[in-house]
């Protein structure tokens, strides 16, 4: 394990995080959860189905409220932010990769990748140039102007990775990014995702069911009611 | 199947309540409007027919002629014929009630003939002190008998247009009536117990004498001898009749009226049809979107073994269910509308054809079933394409994960060819001649143009959208990109907008052209300073030479021009033909569109009798006359005047918006020479310089008695005419409004459905940092853009349809030409408010997409 992250202040800090589900009695998904991810570091989160992995990612993205604890992204607290402020923060500081890709079919690849830059009101020319560079980095440089419906699932996810990183976010969240891909593609895409996150010095949190995939991350954490347990050695 | 049908298909209608409710309501409105027009009209015709039957009584045939009547010399000729068992002469007078605006229909009858032919009109004398008086009361020339309705009506005071009240016409057992420009009183001697209409009966000789109609009859009702059929009698008696008279069965009167109002009625029915069509489009778009959304569900069902046909049938059943429910609601609504119309505007649909009738709403099972079927048809046809599309999808492909949410939306990449093809056919349809005065080709062209506009929507989108690419805002960019990539969406959402905008724009352009033309026309036909009339053309008030001399003698009057208006019967089938006799001085008050005010130098060589024609008097015919008889300047016109056929030479054609069944204008001198009729209906007064219209009017009123004349300034006549014009078109405005509303429903349902299919997209955008407001803006812009495309296509189609309405439909059904006047301001306002409304509606309908948590929305679908 590279140790230099530990010397820098962490990109993402979650402290004493608590999430319960409404119901009688309320079900505790996790309590006193601690998580720190440094710049250029990637952690994989594994756990049983229904253990709350997706919920944790949503909490980290400010899309779901937590019942206690503190979340800091790049030194900024997010739990108190209102919805619009959180949306603005997501524009600049977050990148997402989804299991279902969510590439807009009516935009070309380069436009899809440029979407976050448009949101940040980057100059059009610069946005396009950066999107093209990003597409080249994920190996789709020659197809930048194609419509998305011609792509395979693996290629779609590469576009999604390019979109998640084009605006140099501080934190990249990926929920089962390889869930819809066959094993060979999955491993390619995963390599690419990890490599890009490290290159852009972002913090990466990815949720996966695949042990093989998890092993490529810098750390592997298992989610349980007590929080996250580091199982890197066992994995 | 029925359980499956219920659970999988019909239940889906309940799940998307908004869309189902809106398409159901749209169909209901279309059905309701069409049915209401039909109900109102048939009730009015029924009512009129009932009145006719009452008056005709047991008559087998009626001899009728010009509205002003005919020479009674024919009576003994007919009465003496073996075919005729009884002949009852009638003189009908529309008696003017001095000072009031209503008239009383008086039937002058021969009491000895009445009993066998028209027993319903038999008068009954009120009990009097002297028995002999009672017996012969009906023969007294000064006695009149009133039906209950007439008595009630005449005992009331009447509110005039001016707001003042006119006294009851019936006072102390005496009824005051007007003939010419003088009043006289008749004694009300009893009642007409069997008559259930507002009318009066008196002795025919008394009527002829009091109303200066000596020797004139309006009608002879014939009862035929046993064994003689009406058809036989018509044939054998026809040769005896002088020109201008015709024998007809009593029922023909109602059908004549029906002919009069047919074109107007067909016009309204077409509007209702377009509303229904828009409803059909709405079903189409909601069903298409719902099918798109349920694509995987259907693929799964097919994979599990459902047959293609079952799927198709299930979906069609959905459409039929919506259509049936909409039809039922529409039938109820249609009856409600008709009842409301009777209550508030009477049975004339606002156009004045049936003024004064008080029709009863009737339930007509056939009509109801017909409109129900129309509703179902709209539902089924609207579902047909989407259902076929859905049943054709290969299950394997649709089940593949990760397929975009847009798969299945029609990739209407289809070129411009089908649309342009339809336009060409529409152009050809315009050439078709009318059928029975109904411009079928024109209406066909309207429908084809609408369809073409919808088909050309993607082409228009491809043409227009690149122009709008400039926008920098992200929401604008995304909306623009989406619409550019899926012009099919524009078709689905915008089809209703296209149809309704086209209709509204076309009607707006047509009505505005019409109104401007009518206004110009009124200014042209009313050149004098003051108009005086004793009553409407067929009424008992009139002016004569003596009255004219008195008018001319009033200080301030420079010249007096007179008009005599008579309504002639040209043939058995046609409505009455109007002849206006007045001095033709240059172009004064004559809106000529062809020929000149001089007699033509050259008569048409085609006319064999060219030489004689050169000496014939000139006539100026209205456009309708020229159209109906296919004659032009230099041709010969033949009219039955004074009991003989008279020939004229056509000197010019003029525009006439007042008489759609034809009119001709001839010189007063010629008219008097040919008929000996010296009566005058209207006098047009030009004032001497420096004199004042109000003073002259006051002097005239003082001389003749205010209650005997109506005096109007041309401005007043113009304002009143335009007011009537506007009232006539009010109902069409209402129907347009309904159609535009249905068009907006289309936007609402589409965006509500799209919002659900696009939850994933919106969820992703929220992850990327879109706020809820951003999403709302995106949807609103998409709505506005979609509507704009629909509005553009609709305006283009509307302009084309306006042209068709003006040049084909109006020409063929009313024989009216008009000058184009486009209401630019109103159209621009309408278009922009529709776009804003569409944005709002889309935003509201899409609200659901924003409520759902972004976190849930991006989960792998299913
Ligand atoms: N909106 C919600 N309301 C109530 N319960 C919810 C909601 N969302 C998730 N849950 C519940 O929370 C628990 C955790 O869900 P979550 O989706 O986080 O699990 P997960 O670990 O991602 O599972 P998987 O590996 O199957 O994706 C589950 O039991 C789920 O039923
Ligand atoms: Mg999950």
């Amino acid at each position: 394990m590279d140790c230099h992250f530990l010397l820098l202040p962490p990109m993402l800090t979650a402290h004493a995080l608590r999430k319960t589900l409404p119901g009688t009695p309320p079900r505790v998904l996790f309590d006193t959860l601690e998580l720190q991810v440094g710049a250029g570091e990637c952690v994989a989160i594994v756990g049983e189905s229904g253990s709350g992995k997706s919920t944790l990612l949503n909490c980290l993205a400010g899309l779901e409220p937590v019942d206690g604890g503190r979340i800091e992204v790049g030194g900024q607290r997010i739990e108190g932010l209102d919805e619009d402020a959180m949306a603005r923060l997501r524009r600049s500081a977050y990148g997402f990769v989804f299991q279902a890709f969510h590439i807009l079919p009516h935009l070309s690849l380069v436009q899809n990748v440029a979407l976050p830059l448009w949101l940040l009101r980057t100059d059009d020319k610069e946005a396009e140039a950066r999107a093209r560079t990003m597409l080249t980095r994920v190996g789709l440089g020659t197809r930048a102007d194609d419509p998305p419906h011609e792509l395979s699932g693996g290629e779609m996810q590469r576009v999604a990775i390019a979109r998640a990183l084009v605006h140099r976010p501080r934190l990249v969240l990926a929920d089962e990014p390889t869930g819809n891909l066959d094993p060979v593609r999955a491993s390619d895409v995963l390599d690419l995702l990890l490599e890009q996150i490290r290159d852009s010095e972002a913090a990466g949190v990815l949720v996966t069911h695949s042990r093989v995939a998890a092993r490529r991350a810098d750390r592997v954490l298992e989610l349980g009611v007590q929080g996250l347990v580091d199982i890197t050695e066992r994995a | 199947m029925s359980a499956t049908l219920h659970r999988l298909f019909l239940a889906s209608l309940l799940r998307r309540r908004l869309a189902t409710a809106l398409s159901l309501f749209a169909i209901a409105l279309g059905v309701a409007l069409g049915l209401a027009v039909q109900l109102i009209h048939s009730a009015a015709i029924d009512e009129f027919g009932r009145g006719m039957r009452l008056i005709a009584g047991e008559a087998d045939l009626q001899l009728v002629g010009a509205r002003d009547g005919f020479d009674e010399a024919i009576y003994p000729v007919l009465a003496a014929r073996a075919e005729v068992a009884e002949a009852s002469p009638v003189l009908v007078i529309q008696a003017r009630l001095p000072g009031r605006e209503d008239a009383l229909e008086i039937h002058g009858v021969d009491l000895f003939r009445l009993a066998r032919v028209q027993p319903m009109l038999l008068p009954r004398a009120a009990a009097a002190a002297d028995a002999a008086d009672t017996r012969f009361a009906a023969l007294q020339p000064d006695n009149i008998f009133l039906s209950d309705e007439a008595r009630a009506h005449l005992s009331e005071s009447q509110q005039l247009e001016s707001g003042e009240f006119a006294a009851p016409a019936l006072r102390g057992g005496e009824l005051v009536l007007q003939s010419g420009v003088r009043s006289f009183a008749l004694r009300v001697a009893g009642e007409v117990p069997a008559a259930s209409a507002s009318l009066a009966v008196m002795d025919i000789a008394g009527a002829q004498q009091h109303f200066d109609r000596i020797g004139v009859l309006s009608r002879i009702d014939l009862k035929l001898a046993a064994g003689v059929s009406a058809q036989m009698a018509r044939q054998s008696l026809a040769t005896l009749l002088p020109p201008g008279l015709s024998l007809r069965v009593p029922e023909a009167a109602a059908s004549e009226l029906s002919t009069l109002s047919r074109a107007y009625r067909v016009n309204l029915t077409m509007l209702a049809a377009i509303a229904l069509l828009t409803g059909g489009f709405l079903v189409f778009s909601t069903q298409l979107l719902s099918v798109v959304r349920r694509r995987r569900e259907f693929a799964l069902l097919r994979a599990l073994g459902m047959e293609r046909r079952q799927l198709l049938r299930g979906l069609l059943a959905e459409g039929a269910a919506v259509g049936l429910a909409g039809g039922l609601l529409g039938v109820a609504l249609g009856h409600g509308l008709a009842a409301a119309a009777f209550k508030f505007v009477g049975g004339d649909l606002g156009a004045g054809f049936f003024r004064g009738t008080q029709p009863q709403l009737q339930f007509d099972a056939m009509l109801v079933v017909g409109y129900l079927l129309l509703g179902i048809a709209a539902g089924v046809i609207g579902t047909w394409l989407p259902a076929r599309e859905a049943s054709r999808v290969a299950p394997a492909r649709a089940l593949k994960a990760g397929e975009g949410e847009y798969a299945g939306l029609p990739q209407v990449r289809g070129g411009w060819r089908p649309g342009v093809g339809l336009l060409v056919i529409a152009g050809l349809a315009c050439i078709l001649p009318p059928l029975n005065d109904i411009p079928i080709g024109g209406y066909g062209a309207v429908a084809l143009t609408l369809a073409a506009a919808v088909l050309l929507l993607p082409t228009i989108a491809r043409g227009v959208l690149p122009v709008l690419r400039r926008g920098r805002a992200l929401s604008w960019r995304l909306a623009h990109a989406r619409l550019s990539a899926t012009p099919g969406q524009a078709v689905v959402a915008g089809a209703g907008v296209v149809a309704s905008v086209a209709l509204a724009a076309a009607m707006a352009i047509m009505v505005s052209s019409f109104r401007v033309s009518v206004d110009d026309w009124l200014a042209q036909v009313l050149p004098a300073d003051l108009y005086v009339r004793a009553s409407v053309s067929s009424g008992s008030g009139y002016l004569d030479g003596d009255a004219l001399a008195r008018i001319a003698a009033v200080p301030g009057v420079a010249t007096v021009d007179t008009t005599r208006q008579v309504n002639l019967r040209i043939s058995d089938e046609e409505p009455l033909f109007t002849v206006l006799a007045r001095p033709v001085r240059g172009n004064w008050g004559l809106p000529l569109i062809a020929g000149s005010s001089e007699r033509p130098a050259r008569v048409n060589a085609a006319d064999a009798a060219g030489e004689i024609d050169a000496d014939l008097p000139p006539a100026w015919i209205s456009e309708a006359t020229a159209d109906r008889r296919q004659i032009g300047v230099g041709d010969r016109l033949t009219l039955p005047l004074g009991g003989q056929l008279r020939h004229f030479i056509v000197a010019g054609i003029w525009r006439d918006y007042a008489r759609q069944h034809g009119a001709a204008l001839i010189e007063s001198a010629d008219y008097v020479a040919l008929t000996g009729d010296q009566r005058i209906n209207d006098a047009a007064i030009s004032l001497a310089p420096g004199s004042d219209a109000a003073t002259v009017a006051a002097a005239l009123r003082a001389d003749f008695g205010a209650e005997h004349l109506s005096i109007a300034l041309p401005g007043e006549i113009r304002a009143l005419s335009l007011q009537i014009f506007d009232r006539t078109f009010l109902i069409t405005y209402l129907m347009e409004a309904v159609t535009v509303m249905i068009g907006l429903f289309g936007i609402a349902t589409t965006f509500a459905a799209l919002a659900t299919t696009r939850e994933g997209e919106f969820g992703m955008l929220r992850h990327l940092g879109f706020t809820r407001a951003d999403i709302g803006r995106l949807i609103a812009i998409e709505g506005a853009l979609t509507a704009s495309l629909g509005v553009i296509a609709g305006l283009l189609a509307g302009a084309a349809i306006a042209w068709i309405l003006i040049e084909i439909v109006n020409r063929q059904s009313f024989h009216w030409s008009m000058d184009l006047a486009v209401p630019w301001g109103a159209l621009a306002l309408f278009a922009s408010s529709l776009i804003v409304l569409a944005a709002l509606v889309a935003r509201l309908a899409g609200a659901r997409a924003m409520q759902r948590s972004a976190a849930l929305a991006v989960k792998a679908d299913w």
Side-chain angles (χ1 to χ4, degrees):
Chain A
M1 185 174 37
D2 299 324
C3 289
H4 69 267
F5 330 109
L6 302 176
L7 308 174
L8 296 167
M11 268 302 186
L12 168 74
T13 306
H15 173 64
L17 222 49
R18 174 184 166 81
K19 176 78 183 172
T20 52
L21 288 175
T24 37
R27 184 182 143 209
V28 180
L29 268 187
F30 45 78
D31 200 359
T32 62
L33 181 142
E34 299 289 331
L35 176 63
Q36 291 198 342
V37 189
E41 188 191 14
C42 273
V43 301
I45 295 179
V46 296
E48 282 169 28
S49 186
S51 56
K53 306 182 293 295
S54 299
T55 308
L56 173 60
L57 281 199
N58 290 336
C59 292
L60 294 179
L63 289 162
E64 243 181 86
V66 288
D67 300 309
R70 178 162 58 84
I71 302 172
E72 272 174 33
V73 176
Q76 185 177 359
R77 304 261 314 242
I78 69 161
E79 325 88 66
L81 293 180
D82 70 23
E83 205 180 83
D84 286 356
M86 192 59 228
R88 281 192 294 276
L89 181 64
R90 275 200 301 276
R91 285 180 202 180
S92 56
Y94 284 75
F96 290 91
V97 180
F98 307 96
Q99 179 177 356
F101 319 143
H102 290 296
I103 301 299
L104 292 183
H106 47 271
L107 297 181
S108 69
L109 299 191
V110 63
Q111 286 173 323
N112 261 294
V113 174
L115 202 52
L117 297 175
W118 289 352
L119 264 170
L120 290 168
R121 302 183 185 281
T122 314
D123 172 71
D124 264 4
K125 285 224 179 68
E126 191 196 331
E128 186 174 335
R130 277 169 67 181
R132 279 185 196 280
T133 317
M134 204 59 221
L135 274 173
T136 314
R137 274 168 63 184
V138 299
L140 290 169
T142 54
R143 307 185 59 175
D145 296 302
D146 290 356
H149 62 80
E150 294 168 0
L151 298 186
S152 74
E155 286 163 338
M156 291 245 212
Q157 204 59 310
R158 283 163 186 269
V159 177
I161 291 169
R163 181 181 63 195
L165 288 153
V166 71
H167 55 304
R168 302 200 189 95
R170 274 166 265 173
L171 179 60
V172 175
L173 301 176
D175 195 349
E176 314 254 13
T178 57
N180 279 358
L181 302 177
D182 67 68
V184 180
R185 279 261 156 69
S187 116
D188 285 354
V189 163
L190 202 72
D191 284 343
L192 179 70
L193 177 60
L194 295 180
E195 177 194 321
Q196 293 301 328
I197 292 175
R198 282 171 191 142
D199 280 3
S200 48
E201 306 255 291
V205 179
L206 63 106
V207 164
T208 180
H209 274 291
S210 148
R211 293 268 155 152
V212 188
R215 234 176 280 138
R216 310 210 181 175
D218 299 311
R219 280 186 284 154
V220 184
L221 307 174
E222 185 169 36
L223 181 62
V225 195
Q226 320 79 2
L228 292 165
V229 180
D230 195 322
I231 56 162
T232 319
E233 305 305 326
R234 272 185 286 147
Chain B
M1 177 74 186
S2 84
T4 327
L5 181 77
H6 193 260
R7 248 176 260 141
L8 290 176
F9 296 104
L10 299 186
S12 123
L13 291 174
L14 295 180
R15 256 180 279 130
R16 45 199 161 98
R17 281 197 200 93
L18 175 73
T20 306
L22 287 182
S23 28
L24 189 149
F25 196 50
I27 291 184
L29 283 175
V31 167
L33 289 181
L35 182 62
V37 169
Q38 206 87 10
L39 280 174
I40 293 172
H41 182 261
S42 63
I45 284 280
D46 263 16
E47 174 65 17
F48 179 81
R50 205 180 57 79
M52 282 310 297
R53 271 192 302 283
L54 167 77
I55 289 161
E58 325 243 296
D60 300 310
L61 279 179
Q62 291 182 318
L63 180 72
V64 288
R67 170 127 4 109
D68 275 1
F70 50 86
D71 192 330
E72 67 183 8
I74 184 73
Y75 176 72
V77 180
L78 283 183
R81 294 286 299 204
E83 296 95 329
V84 176
E86 188 76 273
S88 170
V90 184
L91 172 63
V92 181
I93 305 279
Q94 296 295 334
R96 186 169 198 264
L97 304 162
R100 286 171 67 109
E101 278 162 3
D102 51 350
L104 175 64
E105 187 173 286
I106 300 177
H107 293 250
V109 296
D110 180 340
L111 280 165
F112 299 108
R113 312 278 166 211
L114 197 60
R116 282 185 61 194
V117 188
Q118 307 118 317
M120 317 288 268
L121 291 183
L122 271 179
R124 187 168 70 200
D130 184 345
D133 223 36
T134 311
R135 204 164 331 129
F136 297 109
L139 291 174
Q140 298 294 316
D142 291 339
N143 279 355
I144 189 164
F145 299 81
L146 297 177
S147 72
D148 286 348
E149 271 178 56
R151 176 185 293 274
H153 188 63
L154 296 171
S155 310
E156 284 168 10
S157 51
Q158 183 197 24
Q159 185 169 18
L160 304 177
E161 297 257 344
S162 59
E164 292 163 47
F165 281 87
L170 180 59
R171 269 166 300 178
E174 291 213 323
L175 184 63
V176 181
L177 298 161
Q178 177 178 348
S179 170
V181 284
R182 67 189 167 81
S183 300
F184 63 95
L186 293 179
R187 200 168 68 86
V188 178
E191 50 178 359
V192 189
S196 54
S198 181
L199 55 80
V201 170
M202 70 185 288
D203 180 58
I204 189 164
Q208 286 181 330
Q209 182 196 327
H210 281 297
F211 292 99
D212 274 319
R213 314 293 310 178
I214 306 283
V216 177
L217 299 179
S218 315
R219 230 174 52 219
I220 301 177
D221 289 352
L222 302 178
K223 189 147 181 63
L224 298 175
V228 179
S229 78
Q231 190 52 41
M232 278 159 58
R234 274 183 78 176
Q235 265 169 18
S236 63
L237 299 177
T239 50
L240 304 172
L241 304 179
L245 292 188
S246 75
L247 267 175
R248 65 175 190 196
V249 292
E251 293 76 40
S255 77
E256 184 182 306
L257 189 71
S258 178
T259 314
L260 262 176
S261 61
R262 182 174 54 204
Y264 182 68
R265 189 175 75 238
V266 170
N267 238 333
L268 289 186
T269 308
M270 283 299 138
L271 287 183
I274 291 181
L276 189 61
L277 189 76
T278 316
F281 274 135
L282 198 56
V283 176
F284 166 74
S285 49
T286 54
Q287 285 296 85
L288 181 64
L289 288 165
S290 122
V291 162
V292 167
R293 194 140 47 99
R294 290 186 283 165
R295 208 170 128 84
R296 294 219 188 129
E297 180 185 330
F298 295 151
L300 181 66
L301 290 173
R302 296 262 285 113
L304 295 179
M306 178 179 271
E307 283 169 38
R308 187 175 292 232
R309 276 213 325 273
Q310 275 176 311
L311 182 59
L312 189 68
R313 246 185 286 146
L315 283 170
L316 289 180
E318 276 180 27
V322 175
L324 176 67
L328 284 172
L329 184 63
V331 164
L333 209 60
H335 282 88
L337 277 179
F342 289 150
K343 186 136 185 276
F344 297 113
V345 295
D348 68 1
L349 294 173
F353 291 114
F354 301 98
R355 200 165 296 143
T357 56
Q358 293 194 334
Q360 301 293 309
L361 186 56
Q362 270 148 9
F363 183 82
D364 179 345
M366 284 304 290
L367 199 63
V368 164
V369 169
Y371 272 89
L372 264 185
L373 287 179
L374 269 184
I376 296 175
V380 170
I381 294 170
T383 312
W384 178 255
L385 278 180
R388 215 185 45 169
E389 183 76 22
S391 69
R392 281 196 182 157
V393 167
R397 208 180 129 221
L399 277 175
K400 188 181 129 194
E403 207 190 21
E405 306 94 272
Y406 315 99
L409 254 191
Q411 295 297 312
V412 195
R413 301 225 168 278
W416 43 270
R417 253 159 245 170
V420 172
L422 284 187
L423 284 182
V424 170
I425 304 176
L428 292 176
C430 288
I431 305 172
L432 288 180
L435 191 76
N436 259 336
D437 261 5
I438 308 274
I440 37 160
Y443 286 126
V446 169
L448 287 168
T449 308
L450 269 182
V454 172
L455 285 181
L456 286 174
L457 205 48
T459 309
I460 292 172
R462 276 197 292 275
V464 171
L465 285 172
V467 182
L468 300 173
R469 190 153 39 199
R470 307 217 154 270
R472 279 278 289 125
L474 181 51
S475 305
W476 175 271
R477 239 189 238 189
L478 287 180
H480 185 274
R482 179 172 165 87
L483 232 62
S484 307
T486 52
Q489 185 193 330
V491 175
V492 174
V497 175
V498 175
S500 57
V501 169
L503 171 72
M507 288 301 290
I509 295 175
M510 195 275 276
V511 172
S512 132
S513 304
F514 199 0
R515 199 175 192 282
V516 167
S517 301
V518 165
D519 201 9
D520 287 351
W521 176 78
L522 284 168
Q524 247 181 318
V525 298
L526 299 170
D529 299 315
L530 208 55
Y531 288 83
V532 176
R533 65 166 38 166
S535 71
V536 290
S537 70
S538 54
S540 65
Y542 60 91
L543 302 169
D544 50 19
D546 173 47
L548 272 185
R550 277 159 70 191
I551 293 175
V554 169
V557 173
T559 57
V560 183
D561 275 284
T562 60
T563 305
R564 170 73 174 136
Q565 178 173 336
V566 287
N567 296 299
L568 305 181
R569 186 164 299 277
I570 303 277
S571 77
D572 291 358
E573 292 84 27
E574 277 176 76
L576 297 180
F577 182 87
T578 307
V579 170
L580 300 162
R582 52 164 246 217
V584 178
R585 295 192 277 116
N587 265 353
W588 205 72
L590 189 61
L592 280 178
I593 53 169
S596 75
S597 57
E598 304 299 320
R599 358 169 348 111
R602 194 182 60 81
V603 299
N604 288 349
D607 217 316
E611 231 165 280
I612 311 161
D613 279 2
D615 300 326
L616 291 176
W620 293 263
I621 58 175
S622 72
E623 269 181 296
T625 316
D627 273 12
R628 283 170 186 277
R629 308 185 158 209
Q630 301 284 311
I631 52 175
V633 175
D635 286 336
R636 185 194 264 217
L637 172 75
T638 305
L639 298 171
L641 277 177
Q644 285 185 44
L645 286 180
R646 308 289 190 173
H647 304 293
F648 296 84
I649 192 83
V650 176
I653 301 177
W654 50 288
R655 205 172 252 188
D656 182 16
Y657 291 129
R659 292 153 283 251
Q660 56 165 307
H661 289 276
L665 188 133
I666 57 178
E667 281 283 358
S668 304
D670 292 333
Y671 176 76
V672 174
L674 291 172
T675 62
D677 177 7
Q678 302 261 13
R679 290 178 179 221
I680 285 149
N681 298 93
D682 297 314
I685 298 173
S686 299
L687 298 177
S691 49
D692 164 47
T695 322
V696 172
L700 285 169
R701 285 199 182 99
D703 188 357
F704 289 91
E707 72 275 22
H708 292 143
L709 292 182
S710 8
I711 301 176
L713 295 169
E716 291 167 1
I717 302 180
R718 217 162 124 183
L720 187 68
S721 307
L722 288 178
Q723 199 186 322
I724 293 172
F725 179 94
D726 291 338
R727 195 168 55 210
T728 305
F729 281 98
L730 183 67
I731 186 166
T732 65
Y733 295 142
L734 291 179
M735 292 174 93
E736 284 165 52
V738 168
T739 314
V740 168
M741 196 168 79
I742 298 176
L744 281 177
F745 286 179
I747 297 271
T749 52
T750 312
F751 277 85
L754 279 177
T756 345
T757 47
R758 291 169 67 189
E759 271 172 352
E761 176 186 346
F762 296 146
M764 181 274 283
L765 289 173
R766 293 275 302 284
H767 273 81
L768 259 52
F770 259 59
T771 59
R772 275 177 214 267
D774 288 334
I775 304 272
R777 207 169 307 130
L778 172 65
I779 298 176
I781 292 175
E782 278 188 30
L785 273 177
T786 310
S788 305
L789 292 175
V791 165
I792 290 172
L795 286 178
L796 290 175
I801 293 173
W803 182 88
I804 298 173
L805 288 180
I806 291 173
E807 294 298 330
I808 312 289
V809 172
N810 263 291
R811 280 314 300 263
Q812 293 184 359
S813 40
F814 304 106
H815 307 281
W816 285 323
S817 72
M818 50 189 94
D819 305 320
L820 189 68
V822 180
W824 295 111
L827 282 182
L829 184 70
F830 167 69
S832 42
S833 23
L834 195 65
I835 291 171
V836 171
L837 263 178
L840 231 94
V841 162
R843 171 75 176 65
L844 282 177
R848 196 144 53 121
M850 289 177 287
Q851 284 156 10
R852 181 120 185 248
S853 114
L856 284 180
V858 292
K859 274 194 169 172
D861 26 12
W862 263 31

